[in-house]
Coordinates of all heavy atoms in Angstrom, one line a residue:
E26 N -4.2 30.2 -13.6 CA -3.4 30.7 -14.7 C -2.3 31.7 -14.2 O -1.3 31.8 -14.8 CB -4.4 31.4 -15.7 CG -5.3 30.5 -16.4 CD -4.6 29.4 -17.2 OE1 -3.5 29.7 -17.7 OE2 -5.2 28.3 -17.2
H27 N -2.6 32.4 -13.1 CA -1.6 33.3 -12.6 C -0.3 32.5 -12.2 O 0.8 33.0 -12.4 CB -2.2 34.0 -11.4 CG -1.1 34.7 -10.6 ND1 -0.6 36.0 -11.0 CD2 -0.5 34.4 -9.4 CE1 0.3 36.4 -10.1 NE2 0.4 35.5 -9.1
F28 N -0.5 31.3 -11.6 CA 0.7 30.6 -11.1 C 1.3 29.7 -12.2 O 2.4 29.1 -11.9 CB 0.2 29.7 -9.9 CG 0.0 30.5 -8.7 CD1 -1.2 30.5 -8.0 CD2 1.0 31.3 -8.1 CE1 -1.5 31.2 -6.9 CE2 0.8 32.0 -7.0 CZ -0.5 32.0 -6.3
V29 N 0.8 29.6 -13.4 CA 1.4 28.8 -14.4 C 2.7 29.4 -14.8 O 2.8 30.6 -15.1 CB 0.5 28.6 -15.7 CG1 1.3 28.0 -16.8 CG2 -0.7 27.8 -15.3
G30 N 3.8 28.6 -14.6 CA 5.2 29.1 -14.8 C 5.7 29.8 -13.6 O 6.9 30.1 -13.5
N31 N 4.9 30.1 -12.6 CA 5.3 30.7 -11.4 C 5.0 29.8 -10.2 O 4.7 30.3 -9.1 CB 4.6 32.1 -11.2 CG 4.9 33.1 -12.2 OD1 6.1 33.4 -12.5 ND2 3.9 33.5 -13.0
G32 N 5.1 28.5 -10.4 CA 4.9 27.6 -9.3 C 4.0 26.4 -9.8 O 4.1 25.3 -9.2
I33 N 3.3 26.6 -10.9 CA 2.6 25.5 -11.6 C 3.3 25.1 -12.9 O 3.6 26.0 -13.7 CB 1.1 25.8 -11.9 CG1 0.4 26.0 -10.5 CG2 0.5 24.7 -12.7 CD1 -1.1 26.4 -10.8
Y34 N 3.6 23.8 -13.0 CA 4.4 23.4 -14.2 C 3.7 22.2 -14.8 O 3.1 21.3 -14.1 CB 5.8 23.0 -13.7 CG 6.5 24.1 -12.9 CD1 6.7 24.0 -11.6 CD2 7.0 25.3 -13.6 CE1 7.3 25.0 -10.8 CE2 7.6 26.3 -12.8 CZ 7.7 26.2 -11.4 OH 8.3 27.2 -10.7
H35 N 3.9 22.0 -16.1 CA 3.4 20.9 -16.8 C 4.6 20.0 -17.3 O 4.4 19.2 -18.2 CB 2.6 21.3 -18.0 CG 1.3 22.0 -17.5 ND1 0.2 21.4 -16.9 CD2 1.0 23.4 -17.6 CE1 -0.7 22.3 -16.7 NE2 -0.3 23.5 -17.0
A36 N 5.7 20.1 -16.7 CA 6.9 19.3 -17.1 C 7.7 19.2 -15.8 O 7.7 20.0 -14.9 CB 7.7 20.0 -18.2
A37 N 8.5 18.1 -15.8 CA 9.4 17.8 -14.6 C 10.8 17.4 -15.1 O 11.3 16.4 -14.7 CB 8.8 16.7 -13.8
T38 N 11.3 18.2 -16.0 CA 12.7 18.0 -16.5 C 13.7 18.5 -15.5 O 13.3 19.1 -14.4 CB 12.9 18.6 -17.8 OG1 12.9 20.0 -17.7 CG2 11.9 18.2 -18.8
D39 N 14.9 18.4 -15.7 CA 15.9 19.0 -14.8 C 15.8 20.5 -14.6 O 16.0 21.0 -13.5 CB 17.4 18.7 -15.4 CG 17.7 17.2 -15.2 OD1 17.2 16.5 -14.4 OD2 18.6 16.8 -16.0
L40 N 15.3 21.2 -15.7 CA 15.2 22.6 -15.5 C 14.2 23.0 -14.4 O 14.5 23.8 -13.6 CB 14.7 23.2 -16.9 CG 15.8 23.4 -18.0 CD1 15.1 24.0 -19.2 CD2 16.9 24.3 -17.5
E41 N 13.0 22.4 -14.5 CA 12.0 22.7 -13.5 C 12.4 22.1 -12.1 O 12.2 22.8 -11.1 CB 10.7 22.0 -13.9 CG 10.0 22.7 -15.1 CD 10.5 22.1 -16.4 OE1 11.3 21.1 -16.4 OE2 10.2 22.7 -17.5
A42 N 13.0 20.9 -12.1 CA 13.4 20.3 -10.8 C 14.5 21.2 -10.1 O 14.4 21.3 -8.9 CB 13.9 18.9 -11.1
Q43 N 15.4 21.7 -10.8 CA 16.4 22.5 -10.2 C 15.8 23.8 -9.6 O 16.4 24.3 -8.6 CB 17.5 22.9 -11.2 CG 18.4 21.7 -11.7 CD 19.1 22.0 -13.0 OE1 19.1 23.1 -13.5 NE2 19.8 21.0 -13.5
G44 N 14.7 24.3 -10.1 CA 14.1 25.5 -9.6 C 13.4 25.3 -8.3 O 13.1 26.2 -7.6
V45 N 13.1 24.0 -7.9 CA 12.5 23.7 -6.6 C 13.4 22.8 -5.7 O 12.9 22.2 -4.8 CB 11.1 23.0 -6.9 CG1 10.1 23.9 -7.6 CG2 11.3 21.7 -7.6
A46 N 14.6 22.8 -6.0 CA 15.6 22.0 -5.2 C 15.5 22.4 -3.7 O 15.5 23.6 -3.4 CB 17.0 22.2 -5.7
G47 N 15.3 21.4 -2.9 CA 15.3 21.6 -1.4 C 13.9 22.1 -0.9 O 13.8 22.4 0.3
E48 N 12.9 22.2 -1.8 CA 11.6 22.7 -1.4 C 10.6 21.5 -1.5 O 10.7 20.6 -2.2 CB 11.2 23.8 -2.4 CG 12.2 25.0 -2.4 CD 12.0 25.9 -1.2 OE1 11.2 25.6 -0.3 OE2 12.7 26.9 -1.2
P49 N 9.4 21.7 -0.8 CA 8.4 20.7 -0.9 C 7.6 20.9 -2.2 O 7.2 22.1 -2.5 CB 7.5 21.0 0.3 CG 7.7 22.4 0.6 CD 9.1 22.7 0.2
V50 N 7.2 19.8 -2.9 CA 6.5 19.9 -4.1 C 5.3 19.0 -4.1 O 5.3 18.0 -3.3 CB 7.3 19.7 -5.4 CG1 8.5 20.6 -5.4 CG2 7.8 18.2 -5.4
V51 N 4.3 19.2 -5.0 CA 3.2 18.3 -5.2 C 3.1 17.9 -6.7 O 3.3 18.8 -7.5 CB 1.9 19.0 -4.8 CG1 0.7 18.2 -5.2 CG2 1.9 19.3 -3.3
V52 N 2.9 16.6 -6.9 CA 2.6 16.2 -8.2 C 1.1 15.8 -8.3 O 0.6 15.0 -7.5 CB 3.5 14.9 -8.6 CG1 3.1 14.4 -10.0 CG2 5.0 15.3 -8.5
L53 N 0.4 16.3 -9.3 CA -1.0 16.0 -9.5 C -1.2 15.1 -10.7 O -0.9 15.5 -11.8 CB -1.7 17.3 -9.7 CG -3.2 17.3 -9.9 CD1 -3.9 16.7 -8.6 CD2 -3.8 18.7 -10.2
G54 N -1.8 13.9 -10.5 CA -2.1 13.0 -11.6 C -2.0 11.6 -11.2 O -1.2 11.3 -10.2
G55 N -2.6 10.7 -11.9 CA -2.5 9.3 -11.6 C -2.0 8.4 -12.7 O -2.1 7.1 -12.5
A56 N -1.5 8.9 -13.8 CA -1.0 8.1 -14.9 C 0.6 8.0 -14.8 O 1.2 8.6 -13.9 CB -1.5 8.6 -16.2
N57 N 1.2 7.4 -15.9 CA 2.6 7.2 -15.9 C 3.4 8.5 -15.8 O 4.5 8.5 -15.2 CB 3.0 6.4 -17.1 CG 2.7 4.9 -16.9 OD1 2.1 4.5 -16.0 ND2 3.2 4.1 -17.9
S58 N 3.0 9.5 -16.5 CA 3.7 10.8 -16.5 C 3.9 11.3 -15.1 O 4.9 11.9 -14.7 CB 3.1 11.8 -17.4 OG 1.7 12.0 -17.1
A59 N 2.8 11.2 -14.3 CA 2.8 11.7 -12.9 C 3.8 10.8 -12.1 O 4.5 11.3 -11.2 CB 1.4 11.7 -12.3
G60 N 3.8 9.5 -12.3 CA 4.6 8.6 -11.6 C 6.1 8.9 -11.9 O 6.9 9.0 -11.0
Q61 N 6.4 9.1 -13.2 CA 7.8 9.3 -13.5 C 8.3 10.7 -12.9 O 9.4 10.8 -12.5 CB 8.0 9.4 -15.1 CG 7.8 8.0 -15.7 CD 9.0 7.1 -15.5 OE1 9.9 7.4 -14.7 NE2 9.1 6.0 -16.3
A62 N 7.4 11.7 -13.0 CA 7.7 13.0 -12.4 C 8.0 12.9 -10.9 O 8.9 13.5 -10.4 CB 6.6 14.0 -12.7
S63 N 7.2 12.1 -10.2 CA 7.4 12.0 -8.8 C 8.7 11.4 -8.4 O 9.4 11.9 -7.5 CB 6.2 11.1 -8.2 OG 5.0 11.7 -8.4
L64 N 9.1 10.4 -9.1 CA 10.4 9.7 -8.9 C 11.5 10.7 -9.2 O 12.6 10.7 -8.5 CB 10.5 8.4 -9.7 CG 9.5 7.3 -9.2 CD1 9.5 6.2 -10.3 CD2 10.0 6.7 -7.9
H65 N 11.4 11.4 -10.3 CA 12.5 12.3 -10.7 C 12.6 13.5 -9.7 O 13.7 13.8 -9.3 CB 12.2 12.8 -12.1 CG 13.3 13.7 -12.7 ND1 14.6 13.2 -12.9 CD2 13.3 15.0 -13.0 CE1 15.3 14.2 -13.4 NE2 14.6 15.3 -13.4
L66 N 11.5 14.1 -9.4 CA 11.5 15.2 -8.5 C 12.0 14.8 -7.1 O 12.6 15.7 -6.3 CB 10.1 15.8 -8.4 CG 9.6 16.6 -9.6 CD1 8.1 16.8 -9.6 CD2 10.4 17.9 -9.8
A67 N 11.8 13.6 -6.7 CA 12.3 13.2 -5.3 C 13.8 13.3 -5.2 O 14.3 13.4 -4.1 CB 11.8 11.7 -5.1
R68 N 14.5 13.3 -6.3 CA 15.9 13.5 -6.3 C 16.3 14.9 -5.9 O 17.5 15.2 -5.6 CB 16.6 13.1 -7.6 CG 16.3 11.7 -8.0 CD 16.6 11.4 -9.5 NE 17.9 12.0 -9.8 CZ 18.3 12.3 -11.1 NH1 17.4 12.0 -12.1 NH2 19.4 12.8 -11.4
Y69 N 15.4 15.9 -6.1 CA 15.7 17.3 -5.9 C 15.0 17.9 -4.7 O 15.5 18.7 -4.0 CB 15.4 18.1 -7.2 CG 16.2 17.7 -8.4 CD1 15.8 16.7 -9.2 CD2 17.3 18.5 -8.8 CE1 16.6 16.4 -10.4 CE2 18.0 18.2 -9.9 CZ 17.7 17.1 -10.7 OH 18.4 16.8 -11.8
A70 N 13.7 17.7 -4.6 CA 12.8 18.3 -3.7 C 13.0 17.8 -2.3 O 13.6 16.7 -2.1 CB 11.4 18.2 -4.1
S71 N 12.6 18.6 -1.2 CA 12.7 18.1 0.1 C 11.7 17.0 0.4 O 12.0 16.1 1.2 CB 12.5 19.3 1.1 OG 11.2 19.8 0.9
H72 N 10.6 17.1 -0.3 CA 9.6 16.0 -0.2 C 8.6 16.1 -1.4 O 8.3 17.2 -1.8 CB 8.8 16.0 1.1 CG 8.1 14.7 1.4 ND1 8.7 13.5 1.7 CD2 6.7 14.4 1.2 CE1 7.7 12.6 1.8 NE2 6.6 13.1 1.5
V73 N 8.1 15.0 -1.8 CA 7.1 15.0 -2.9 C 5.8 14.4 -2.4 O 5.8 13.3 -1.8 CB 7.6 14.1 -4.1 CG1 6.5 14.1 -5.2 CG2 8.9 14.7 -4.7

């Protein structure tokens, strides 16, 4: 709970993605939302 909003996110829109641009990120989950988030974040992060 401490890290929610401070590194833990439940959305992967441009707003969140821009905040981690050039940084390594982790996507947690195995359904479509996690898959779409992984592909979108790969455009911004150093690695997903």
Side-chain angles (χ1 to χ4, degrees):
E26 294 302 326
H27 168 80
F28 287 121
V29 171
N31 297 302
I33 294 179
Y34 310 104
H35 296 287
T38 67
D39 287 337
L40 284 179
E41 292 84 8
Q43 289 164 6
V45 295
E48 303 281 3
V50 303
V51 170
V52 176
L53 179 64
N57 281 7
S58 55
Q61 290 285 11
S63 298
L64 291 167
H65 184 63
L66 290 166
R68 298 166 47 199
Y69 295 85
S71 61
H72 193 75
V73 177

